[in-house]
Amino acid sequence: MASAKQIVAELGRPGPHEVLRGELALVGLPGVVFTPTSGELLPAVAFGHDWLNPAHRYHGLLRHLASWGIVAAAPDTERSPLASHRRLAADLTTALEVVSSVRLGGTARGAAVSVDPRRLALAGHGMGAGAAVLAAAAPAHDTRVQAIDEPYWESGTDVAVQAVATIALSESRPSAQDASRAVHVPGMHIAFGKDLVSPPAAGTEPVAQAWAGPSVMRTVKKASHLGVVEGRHWSDLVLDGKADLGVLTTVKALLTGFLLHHLTGEKKYADIVDGAVKGTDVRVFRETSTV
């Protein structure tokens, strides 16, 4: 089996698939979806953006996932200073419902793409990471979480996810930490060591520790909060940090390997979850059961 270092080197490069881009707005939800040019019963992930940031700052990450055979959708909603975490969580769920229930693509360059509703995941950055946790907790109807002010979980959802990845998670309202106690699927939580917006001890670590299912926290030691975005945006004036290609490449590899391992059963990428990766520290809170 390849080492984590070898896996990161492999998955940090674009995958073998050509990629198509589409608009979620065609089905009534502002946002974007990236897919391989063809494929049946593919895995899919819905990705949540950070506070104030548009979805286009993550297009490189989404395109990268699609190049490795993963359909990647990102709602472009809730971008105001008073954005709702609950509504973004609902939009993430809607994005998964859409991509898993309709055929995508179907141009002259390739056949239509379909998504397997049994191979779905959630991910996000900052505020979007918190929303991903809320969305993942939604089907559980956990009574402890429902007691939170402004509960998101009143109606639940028919979408079931198999994995959740968070990046530089910012605490949400309702609380992602509380919601994480109702999430039993594997979680990979990427923290940024120089994050002044959401320091690991205040954002990622409490969620990773409270996680009900298998949980691993990996800290990219020299990364700042905006290390994973691309380009410039006016929100850079109010959020600490800046885009960092090296950090983005590492996150691309970690996220791709985690999703391929848990959504497609690619055992050769198992070591990406808790193996040694240069420039990072890893802490396992709860291991995946081998039974």
Side-chain angles (χ1 to χ4, degrees), residues 142-155:
D142 189 282
T143 57
R144 292 168 300 173
V145 179
Q146 287 182 5
I148 300 173
D149 184 36
E150 295 185 309
Y152 167 69
W153 297 269
E154 290 178 348
S155 59

Side-chain angles (χ1 to χ4, degrees), residues 189 205 208-210 215-217 283-287:
H189 309 285
E205 186 173 350
Q209 191 165 19
S215 177
V216 174
M217 173 178 167
R283 182 177 177 186
V284 178
F285 286 95
R286 196 165 292 103
E287 295 183 348

